[in-house]
Amino acid sequence: MNELIKQKVDAIAACIFARIENPSEEVESYGLYSGEFGILLFLFYYSRYTKNEKHCLKTENYAERLFNRFLNETKLHTFCDGISGILYLFEFLREHDFIDMDVSGYQSLFDDYLSTSMRYDIQQSYFDFMHGALGVGLYFLKKQSNSEYIQELLEFLYHTAEKDTNKQIFKWKSVIYKEKNMVGYNLSLSHGISSIILFLSRMINSGMKDKRVIEMLSGAVHYVFFQQKDFSQFGYYFPNFILTHTQESVYKSRLAWCYGDLGIGMALWQAGKSTNNSDWKEKGLEVMLGSTQRQNYNDSFVADAGICHGSAGLAMIFRRMFLETDRGEFTGAVNQWLYQTLQMSKFKNGLAGFMTYEQNEWKSDYSLLTGISGVGIVLLAYLENDKQIWDEMFLLS
């Protein structure tokens, strides 16, 4: 399989280099997940892998071009599509010696804008990791400065949580479907309580001493525990969300990074690691091991290859769990979902054979979250047998 993976990685890189050398359309997004900077992450890793000077030069030139343009053209603050995700990427690339680009001259301007945007989200009670306050907080936490902004976010999370002191529960309400006016408790990694658990765990790992962090983390984990279903009966552990008017889950959750058991299991695992809580770690491990059994479409709902809700995302998550535990079950799951990823490369008009299934249609997609850049970086991490450290940008490490 390694040779097939190598060929596919090269084909993905060729598609992306051809696009950036001959752009045929305006840039729609510069974002980390959705746009050009996420593509750049793959190109840096690919250039380091090939050690090809031409690839390195093209990637560096593209990085400089993007940076000069995004300063004037990016207006969003979000982790998914905007400045906080892009700046997080800069911190990561500098930390791991991919670039030496200095943005300190713009830093105060960026930080002022992001703090203002985060405060607006806080006023709207909008904690969403991908699109709201939590994503901005993740950047400030990565940067390890501006502790006052992290404190503001902590205050927000603490005071907006619904608390049940008898059951020691903390939970956060959010809009589930705006169009249908549905409100509830989203459990997901991408937009819900699992991302709060992972953020609080990262706060602990960074040395945060505030006792409210532990209190919230424990309360959120307890709330998630109360939502568990019987895997042997339902075929999954946790719902995507709980609606306020029913207190019941509606749909079987998918197997994916964005929603469902894997994000929740990862949140429980990382919470257990950060607090040395063996019960939380064991529950997270149980969920992850059980999820390795969900292999066909009716069990997983996997239709394409992207990181967000596709086969490469599953390979990424199971590989993270193998790196953490050295369990053979995860090796098998990685191999199975990488094989499925290669099988997804079947479209004659696709990018290196891949297309993304979105809103009931197949689309060409270069992005990190749902497109070929994400597929490429997952395949490359496996091929290089590296530590997959970039998955911190997906809250996995």
Side-chain angles (χ1 to χ4, degrees), residues 260-294:
D261 287 346
L262 292 181
I264 297 168
M266 181 60 69
L268 298 177
W269 173 260
Q270 295 294 349
K273 280 183 60 183
S274 68
T275 57
N276 294 314
N277 188 311
S278 59
D279 291 340
W280 297 357
K281 285 179 66 178
E282 286 173 12
K283 179 56 67 176
L285 182 60
E286 177 192 336
V287 173
M288 291 302 206
L289 288 172
S291 297
T292 65
Q293 302 172 33
R294 298 174 62 180

mmCIF file of all heavy atoms in Angstrom, residues 260-294:
data_model
loop_
_atom_site.group_PDB
_atom_site.id
_atom_site.type_symbol
_atom_site.label_atom_id
_atom_site.label_comp_id
_atom_site.label_asym_id
_atom_site.label_seq_id
_atom_site.Cartn_x
_atom_site.Cartn_y
_atom_site.Cartn_z
ATOM 1 N N GLY A 260 -19.873 13.207 16.400
ATOM 2 C CA GLY A 260 -19.972 11.808 16.759
ATOM 3 C C GLY A 260 -18.942 11.306 17.742
ATOM 4 O O GLY A 260 -18.226 12.076 18.399
ATOM 5 N N ASP A 261 -18.857 9.983 17.836
ATOM 6 C CA ASP A 261 -18.104 9.311 18.886
ATOM 7 C C ASP A 261 -16.617 9.648 18.905
ATOM 8 O O ASP A 261 -16.012 9.718 19.982
ATOM 9 C CB ASP A 261 -18.252 7.784 18.746
ATOM 10 C CG ASP A 261 -19.628 7.295 19.164
ATOM 11 O OD1 ASP A 261 -20.374 8.060 19.792
ATOM 12 O OD2 ASP A 261 -19.954 6.134 18.854
ATOM 13 N N LEU A 262 -15.998 9.808 17.739
ATOM 14 C CA LEU A 262 -14.546 9.984 17.723
ATOM 15 C C LEU A 262 -14.111 11.291 18.381
ATOM 16 O O LEU A 262 -13.144 11.317 19.155
ATOM 17 C CB LEU A 262 -14.012 9.898 16.294
ATOM 18 C CG LEU A 262 -14.107 8.515 15.646
ATOM 19 C CD1 LEU A 262 -13.522 8.536 14.244
ATOM 20 C CD2 LEU A 262 -13.401 7.463 16.483
ATOM 21 N N GLY A 263 -14.798 12.371 18.085
ATOM 22 C CA GLY A 263 -14.462 13.640 18.725
ATOM 23 C C GLY A 263 -14.730 13.610 20.217
ATOM 24 O O GLY A 263 -13.950 14.141 21.018
ATOM 25 N N ILE A 264 -15.825 12.970 20.613
ATOM 26 C CA ILE A 264 -16.166 12.871 22.033
ATOM 27 C C ILE A 264 -15.176 11.958 22.748
ATOM 28 O O ILE A 264 -14.681 12.275 23.833
ATOM 29 C CB ILE A 264 -17.612 12.364 22.196
ATOM 30 C CG1 ILE A 264 -18.591 13.368 21.582
ATOM 31 C CG2 ILE A 264 -17.935 12.122 23.668
ATOM 32 C CD1 ILE A 264 -20.008 12.853 21.430
ATOM 33 N N GLY A 265 -14.865 10.815 22.125
ATOM 34 C CA GLY A 265 -13.890 9.909 22.713
ATOM 35 C C GLY A 265 -12.530 10.564 22.875
ATOM 36 O O GLY A 265 -11.857 10.385 23.905
ATOM 37 N N MET A 266 -12.118 11.356 21.880
ATOM 38 C CA MET A 266 -10.839 12.062 21.972
ATOM 39 C C MET A 266 -10.874 13.093 23.099
ATOM 40 O O MET A 266 -9.884 13.263 23.835
ATOM 41 C CB MET A 266 -10.517 12.743 20.637
ATOM 42 C CG MET A 266 -9.198 13.479 20.622
ATOM 43 S SD MET A 266 -7.773 12.407 20.955
ATOM 44 C CE MET A 266 -7.753 11.399 19.463
ATOM 45 N N ALA A 267 -12.010 13.780 23.261
ATOM 46 C CA ALA A 267 -12.128 14.758 24.340
ATOM 47 C C ALA A 267 -11.987 14.083 25.702
ATOM 48 O O ALA A 267 -11.291 14.600 26.591
ATOM 49 C CB ALA A 267 -13.475 15.482 24.232
ATOM 50 N N LEU A 268 -12.619 12.936 25.879
ATOM 51 C CA LEU A 268 -12.523 12.215 27.151
ATOM 52 C C LEU A 268 -11.095 11.726 27.390
ATOM 53 O O LEU A 268 -10.575 11.808 28.515
ATOM 54 C CB LEU A 268 -13.498 11.038 27.162
ATOM 55 C CG LEU A 268 -14.991 11.389 27.041
ATOM 56 C CD1 LEU A 268 -15.836 10.122 27.000
ATOM 57 C CD2 LEU A 268 -15.434 12.296 28.183
ATOM 58 N N TRP A 269 -10.462 11.244 26.339
ATOM 59 C CA TRP A 269 -9.077 10.752 26.454
ATOM 60 C C TRP A 269 -8.132 11.884 26.841
ATOM 61 O O TRP A 269 -7.330 11.742 27.767
ATOM 62 C CB TRP A 269 -8.654 10.116 25.135
ATOM 63 C CG TRP A 269 -7.207 9.734 25.068
ATOM 64 C CD1 TRP A 269 -6.188 10.433 24.465
ATOM 65 C CD2 TRP A 269 -6.596 8.568 25.638
ATOM 66 N NE1 TRP A 269 -4.996 9.779 24.610
ATOM 67 C CE2 TRP A 269 -5.216 8.628 25.335
ATOM 68 C CE3 TRP A 269 -7.085 7.483 26.360
ATOM 69 C CZ2 TRP A 269 -4.314 7.647 25.737
ATOM 70 C CZ3 TRP A 269 -6.184 6.498 26.757
ATOM 71 C CH2 TRP A 269 -4.810 6.584 26.451
ATOM 72 N N GLN A 270 -8.218 13.008 26.149
ATOM 73 C CA GLN A 270 -7.316 14.115 26.430
ATOM 74 C C GLN A 270 -7.607 14.748 27.793
ATOM 75 O O GLN A 270 -6.679 15.186 28.491
ATOM 76 C CB GLN A 270 -7.407 15.173 25.325
ATOM 77 C CG GLN A 270 -6.928 14.701 23.963
ATOM 78 C CD GLN A 270 -5.444 14.391 23.916
ATOM 79 O OE1 GLN A 270 -4.697 14.704 24.845
ATOM 80 N NE2 GLN A 270 -5.002 13.755 22.840
ATOM 81 N N ALA A 271 -8.877 14.782 28.191
ATOM 82 C CA ALA A 271 -9.214 15.289 29.521
ATOM 83 C C ALA A 271 -8.602 14.398 30.595
ATOM 84 O O ALA A 271 -8.062 14.886 31.602
ATOM 85 C CB ALA A 271 -10.731 15.359 29.685
ATOM 86 N N GLY A 272 -8.676 13.086 30.379
ATOM 87 C CA GLY A 272 -8.066 12.155 31.325
ATOM 88 C C GLY A 272 -6.559 12.303 31.407
ATOM 89 O O GLY A 272 -5.972 12.247 32.496
ATOM 90 N N LYS A 273 -5.921 12.518 30.260
ATOM 91 C CA LYS A 273 -4.471 12.713 30.246
ATOM 92 C C LYS A 273 -4.073 13.981 30.992
ATOM 93 O O LYS A 273 -3.114 13.983 31.774
ATOM 94 C CB LYS A 273 -3.967 12.806 28.800
ATOM 95 C CG LYS A 273 -3.804 11.480 28.090
ATOM 96 C CD LYS A 273 -3.233 11.688 26.695
ATOM 97 C CE LYS A 273 -1.870 12.350 26.709
ATOM 98 N NZ LYS A 273 -1.344 12.609 25.369
ATOM 99 N N SER A 274 -4.791 15.057 30.769
ATOM 100 C CA SER A 274 -4.398 16.343 31.349
ATOM 101 C C SER A 274 -4.575 16.371 32.865
ATOM 102 O O SER A 274 -3.920 17.156 33.558
ATOM 103 C CB SER A 274 -5.191 17.487 30.709
ATOM 104 O OG SER A 274 -6.556 17.422 31.073
ATOM 105 N N THR A 275 -5.461 15.508 33.390
ATOM 106 C CA THR A 275 -5.755 15.510 34.831
ATOM 107 C C THR A 275 -5.324 14.224 35.529
ATOM 108 O O THR A 275 -5.600 14.052 36.717
ATOM 109 C CB THR A 275 -7.272 15.695 35.051
ATOM 110 O OG1 THR A 275 -7.977 14.644 34.363
ATOM 111 C CG2 THR A 275 -7.745 17.046 34.542
ATOM 112 N N ASN A 276 -4.679 13.334 34.767
ATOM 113 C CA ASN A 276 -4.292 12.023 35.314
ATOM 114 C C ASN A 276 -5.495 11.258 35.883
ATOM 115 O O ASN A 276 -5.412 10.598 36.920
ATOM 116 C CB ASN A 276 -3.229 12.176 36.412
ATOM 117 C CG ASN A 276 -1.921 12.697 35.861
ATOM 118 O OD1 ASN A 276 -1.439 12.227 34.829
ATOM 119 N ND2 ASN A 276 -1.344 13.675 36.541
ATOM 120 N N ASN A 277 -6.626 11.354 35.165
ATOM 121 C CA ASN A 277 -7.846 10.673 35.582
ATOM 122 C C ASN A 277 -8.007 9.401 34.756
ATOM 123 O O ASN A 277 -8.371 9.455 33.577
ATOM 124 C CB ASN A 277 -9.052 11.597 35.393
ATOM 125 C CG ASN A 277 -10.330 11.019 35.984
ATOM 126 O OD1 ASN A 277 -10.679 9.863 35.739
ATOM 127 N ND2 ASN A 277 -11.027 11.823 36.772
ATOM 128 N N SER A 278 -7.740 8.261 35.357
ATOM 129 C CA SER A 278 -7.740 7.002 34.619
ATOM 130 C C SER A 278 -9.143 6.611 34.157
ATOM 131 O O SER A 278 -9.303 5.977 33.101
ATOM 132 C CB SER A 278 -7.132 5.880 35.469
ATOM 133 O OG SER A 278 -7.857 5.709 36.666
ATOM 134 N N ASP A 279 -10.188 6.974 34.907
ATOM 135 C CA ASP A 279 -11.557 6.641 34.499
ATOM 136 C C ASP A 279 -11.930 7.341 33.200
ATOM 137 O O ASP A 279 -12.559 6.743 32.317
ATOM 138 C CB ASP A 279 -12.552 7.029 35.595
ATOM 139 C CG ASP A 279 -12.441 6.160 36.833
ATOM 140 O OD1 ASP A 279 -11.889 5.038 36.717
ATOM 141 O OD2 ASP A 279 -12.889 6.587 37.916
ATOM 142 N N TRP A 280 -11.573 8.610 33.080
ATOM 143 C CA TRP A 280 -11.878 9.344 31.856
ATOM 144 C C TRP A 280 -11.092 8.784 30.681
ATOM 145 O O TRP A 280 -11.631 8.618 29.576
ATOM 146 C CB TRP A 280 -11.548 10.827 32.030
ATOM 147 C CG TRP A 280 -12.355 11.514 33.088
ATOM 148 C CD1 TRP A 280 -13.359 10.973 33.848
ATOM 149 C CD2 TRP A 280 -12.214 12.868 33.509
ATOM 150 N NE1 TRP A 280 -13.844 11.912 34.717
ATOM 151 C CE2 TRP A 280 -13.168 13.079 34.537
ATOM 152 C CE3 TRP A 280 -11.383 13.910 33.141
ATOM 153 C CZ2 TRP A 280 -13.316 14.314 35.184
ATOM 154 C CZ3 TRP A 280 -11.503 15.142 33.775
ATOM 155 C CH2 TRP A 280 -12.475 15.345 34.782
ATOM 156 N N LYS A 281 -9.815 8.479 30.915
ATOM 157 C CA LYS A 281 -9.010 7.894 29.847
ATOM 158 C C LYS A 281 -9.586 6.549 29.399
ATOM 159 O O LYS A 281 -9.666 6.268 28.193
ATOM 160 C CB LYS A 281 -7.563 7.701 30.307
ATOM 161 C CG LYS A 281 -6.745 8.980 30.378
ATOM 162 C CD LYS A 281 -5.326 8.716 30.853
ATOM 163 C CE LYS A 281 -4.545 7.887 29.861
ATOM 164 N NZ LYS A 281 -3.148 7.672 30.292
ATOM 165 N N GLU A 282 -9.987 5.732 30.350
ATOM 166 C CA GLU A 282 -10.523 4.409 30.009
ATOM 167 C C GLU A 282 -11.815 4.521 29.211
ATOM 168 O O GLU A 282 -12.038 3.746 28.280
ATOM 169 C CB GLU A 282 -10.746 3.593 31.284
ATOM 170 C CG GLU A 282 -9.450 3.090 31.912
ATOM 171 C CD GLU A 282 -9.668 2.424 33.259
ATOM 172 O OE1 GLU A 282 -10.852 2.155 33.597
ATOM 173 O OE2 GLU A 282 -8.676 2.190 33.973
ATOM 174 N N LYS A 283 -12.663 5.478 29.563
ATOM 175 C CA LYS A 283 -13.889 5.661 28.796
ATOM 176 C C LYS A 283 -13.574 6.153 27.384
ATOM 177 O O LYS A 283 -14.162 5.678 26.405
ATOM 178 C CB LYS A 283 -14.822 6.643 29.508
ATOM 179 C CG LYS A 283 -16.129 6.934 28.769
ATOM 180 C CD LYS A 283 -16.905 5.657 28.463
ATOM 181 C CE LYS A 283 -17.427 4.981 29.719
ATOM 182 N NZ LYS A 283 -18.267 3.800 29.411
ATOM 183 N N GLY A 284 -12.657 7.102 27.264
ATOM 184 C CA GLY A 284 -12.252 7.560 25.937
ATOM 185 C C GLY A 284 -11.688 6.428 25.107
ATOM 186 O O GLY A 284 -12.008 6.294 23.914
ATOM 187 N N LEU A 285 -10.859 5.594 25.711
ATOM 188 C CA LEU A 285 -10.276 4.457 24.998
ATOM 189 C C LEU A 285 -11.353 3.462 24.588
ATOM 190 O O LEU A 285 -11.329 2.934 23.465
ATOM 191 C CB LEU A 285 -9.234 3.776 25.886
ATOM 192 C CG LEU A 285 -8.482 2.588 25.287
ATOM 193 C CD1 LEU A 285 -7.707 3.002 24.035
ATOM 194 C CD2 LEU A 285 -7.539 1.976 26.329
ATOM 195 N N GLU A 286 -12.310 3.218 25.468
ATOM 196 C CA GLU A 286 -13.416 2.310 25.131
ATOM 197 C C GLU A 286 -14.181 2.798 23.908
ATOM 198 O O GLU A 286 -14.500 2.026 23.000
ATOM 199 C CB GLU A 286 -14.369 2.198 26.328
ATOM 200 C CG GLU A 286 -15.600 1.339 26.049
ATOM 201 C CD GLU A 286 -16.669 1.474 27.123
ATOM 202 O OE1 GLU A 286 -16.325 1.837 28.279
ATOM 203 O OE2 GLU A 286 -17.854 1.245 26.810
ATOM 204 N N VAL A 287 -14.484 4.086 23.887
ATOM 205 C CA VAL A 287 -15.218 4.669 22.758
ATOM 206 C C VAL A 287 -14.415 4.535 21.468
ATOM 207 O O VAL A 287 -14.951 4.173 20.414
ATOM 208 C CB VAL A 287 -15.555 6.146 23.043
ATOM 209 C CG1 VAL A 287 -16.156 6.817 21.807
ATOM 210 C CG2 VAL A 287 -16.513 6.247 24.222
ATOM 211 N N MET A 288 -13.121 4.811 21.549
ATOM 212 C CA MET A 288 -12.277 4.735 20.361
ATOM 213 C C MET A 288 -12.146 3.296 19.855
ATOM 214 O O MET A 288 -12.213 3.035 18.651
ATOM 215 C CB MET A 288 -10.894 5.317 20.667
ATOM 216 C CG MET A 288 -10.907 6.814 20.894
ATOM 217 S SD MET A 288 -11.579 7.691 19.472
ATOM 218 C CE MET A 288 -10.804 9.268 19.645
ATOM 219 N N LEU A 289 -11.950 2.366 20.765
ATOM 220 C CA LEU A 289 -11.833 0.962 20.357
ATOM 221 C C LEU A 289 -13.148 0.462 19.772
ATOM 222 O O LEU A 289 -13.158 -0.261 18.756
ATOM 223 C CB LEU A 289 -11.411 0.099 21.543
ATOM 224 C CG LEU A 289 -9.972 0.261 22.018
ATOM 225 C CD1 LEU A 289 -9.747 -0.494 23.324
ATOM 226 C CD2 LEU A 289 -8.980 -0.233 20.951
ATOM 227 N N GLY A 290 -14.256 0.809 20.395
ATOM 228 C CA GLY A 290 -15.548 0.422 19.840
ATOM 229 C C GLY A 290 -15.770 0.983 18.452
ATOM 230 O O GLY A 290 -16.343 0.313 17.576
ATOM 231 N N SER A 291 -15.289 2.189 18.225
ATOM 232 C CA SER A 291 -15.468 2.838 16.920
ATOM 233 C C SER A 291 -14.685 2.150 15.810
ATOM 234 O O SER A 291 -15.020 2.312 14.632
ATOM 235 C CB SER A 291 -15.057 4.307 17.016
ATOM 236 O OG SER A 291 -15.881 5.000 17.925
ATOM 237 N N THR A 292 -13.637 1.404 16.146
ATOM 238 C CA THR A 292 -12.901 0.677 15.109
ATOM 239 C C THR A 292 -13.764 -0.403 14.459
ATOM 240 O O THR A 292 -13.440 -0.888 13.379
ATOM 241 C CB THR A 292 -11.620 0.021 15.669
ATOM 242 O OG1 THR A 292 -11.981 -0.983 16.629
ATOM 243 C CG2 THR A 292 -10.712 1.045 16.316
ATOM 244 N N GLN A 293 -14.872 -0.770 15.111
ATOM 245 C CA GLN A 293 -15.758 -1.803 14.577
ATOM 246 C C GLN A 293 -16.740 -1.265 13.539
ATOM 247 O O GLN A 293 -17.389 -2.042 12.837
ATOM 248 C CB GLN A 293 -16.541 -2.460 15.719
ATOM 249 C CG GLN A 293 -15.676 -3.082 16.800
ATOM 250 C CD GLN A 293 -16.491 -3.538 17.993
ATOM 251 O OE1 GLN A 293 -17.641 -3.964 17.860
ATOM 252 N NE2 GLN A 293 -15.904 -3.428 19.184
ATOM 253 N N ARG A 294 -16.860 0.035 13.448
ATOM 254 C CA ARG A 294 -17.827 0.646 12.526
ATOM 255 C C ARG A 294 -17.154 0.845 11.168
ATOM 256 O O ARG A 294 -16.569 1.882 10.891
ATOM 257 C CB ARG A 294 -18.323 1.977 13.099
ATOM 258 C CG ARG A 294 -19.046 1.830 14.411
ATOM 259 C CD ARG A 294 -19.410 3.167 15.032
ATOM 260 N NE ARG A 294 -20.319 3.945 14.196
ATOM 261 C CZ ARG A 294 -20.786 5.155 14.518
ATOM 262 N NH1 ARG A 294 -20.407 5.727 15.650
ATOM 263 N NH2 ARG A 294 -21.608 5.798 13.701
#
